[in-house]
Amino acid sequence: MTEEIKKRRVLNFETVGSITAMVIGMCALFVAWDQAQIMRKQQHASVLPVVNIDGGFSTSADAHVMTLSFSNDGIGPAIVESASLTLDGREISDWPDLRDGLLPPALHEGFESNLDTSIGVLAAGETSNSIVLTWSINDERTAAFEELKSRVFSSVNQGTQFSVCYCSVFERCWRTSADYAAKPNPVKQCEDAGEDVVVRLLQTISSNG
């Protein structure tokens, strides 16, 4: 009996040892997985882009200027995949559509345009003045320019929105709009990539200016 009890004790110790080794191995595996997740989050955070959209109006001694710009205030490059523009809830397709829907008639012609077609990738800290429209000053245009500012800032035009979809180098994507109160909204992917209103505006603004 004594020998049999000893054998059982040995087997019990071996069983406990095996279970302990399995538990330790599982714990080590979990720690390694957890560390990998932390490192991955740190990698993503180290290249996080934050794209902001800004529109502005200014008047100098001889010109009225309207500007649409993009800036990357994050710490990594932003790959701008697409952009969209709605005016009073209706999607804008090209420059004549935007001109006729937004600009007063006195501003339809006689402007100079400075167009930046290189907004595909924004480096950290970079700003791109994508569209700059400049009108020389006269009384009719001054009144029309003030009307334009009122249209843009009016609460009636809450359905007017400009938004872009952009991704990080790790293909995490967000959609953001020209709304200071809104934060970038994470999305799985920029599904409308290629349907870029900025490109369409750039393609049509010169021939219709």
Side-chain angles (χ1 to χ4, degrees):
M1 290 293 294
T2 303
E3 189 67 28
E4 185 178 348
I5 291 173
K6 288 182 179 180
K7 289 182 178 180
R8 288 180 180 178
R9 286 181 178 177
V10 170
L11 290 174
N12 287 339
F13 283 133
E14 290 178 350
T15 301
V16 171
S18 298
I19 294 174
T20 302
M22 289 176 61
V23 171
I24 293 174
M26 292 177 63
C27 290
L29 181 62
F30 173 78
V31 170
W33 175 84
D34 187 57
Q35 289 297 317
Q37 294 299 308
I38 292 174
M39 291 180 62
R40 183 180 181 186
K41 289 179 180 179
Q42 290 175 338
Q43 286 178 331
H44 283 283
S46 68
V47 293
L48 181 69
V50 180
V51 173
N52 288 310
I53 308 169
D54 191 21
F57 299 90
S58 62
T59 298
S60 63
D62 56 359
H64 299 297
V65 181
M66 181 176 74
T67 305
L68 175 67
S69 64
F70 299 87
S71 63
N72 181 5
D73 298 326
I75 55 177
I79 304 170
V80 180
E81 298 283 358
S82 62
S84 61
L85 173 63
T86 58
L87 183 62
D88 295 330
R90 180 178 60 85
E91 186 173 356
I92 294 298
S93 59
D94 53 24
W95 168 246
D97 198 10
L98 176 61
R99 177 197 61 199
D100 297 340
L102 182 64
L103 300 184
L107 301 180
H108 283 196
E109 299 179 351
F111 61 84
E112 294 182 2
S113 60
N114 181 16
L115 313 175
D116 184 358
T117 60
S118 60
I119 63 168
V121 178
L122 284 175
E126 183 181 3
T127 297
S128 171
N129 291 323
S130 300
I131 299 176
V132 180
L133 302 180
T134 304
W135 293 268
S136 60
I137 289 180
N138 61 37
D139 291 341
E140 185 180 17
R141 287 179 183 150
T142 296
F145 194 70
E146 292 301 316
E147 181 183 349
L148 171 62
K149 289 192 291 184
S150 296
R151 288 184 182 182
V152 172
F153 294 122
S154 174
S155 59
V156 176
N157 285 329
Q158 291 182 352
T160 299
Q161 191 62 265
F162 195 96
S163 65
V164 297
C165 190
Y166 64 95
C167 303
S168 71
V169 293
F170 288 116
E171 297 184 350
R172 286 191 173 182
C173 303
W174 298 263
R175 180 170 290 281
T176 190
S177 62
D179 183 352
Y180 293 108
K183 295 181 179 180
N185 181 38
V187 295
K188 290 184 178 180
Q189 61 181 6
C190 297
E191 295 180 354
D192 56 350
E195 296 298 322
D196 194 330
V197 69
V198 173
V199 174
R200 293 197 299 271
L201 291 177
L202 298 180
Q203 289 173 342
T204 58
I205 192 171
S206 297
S207 59
N208 289 274

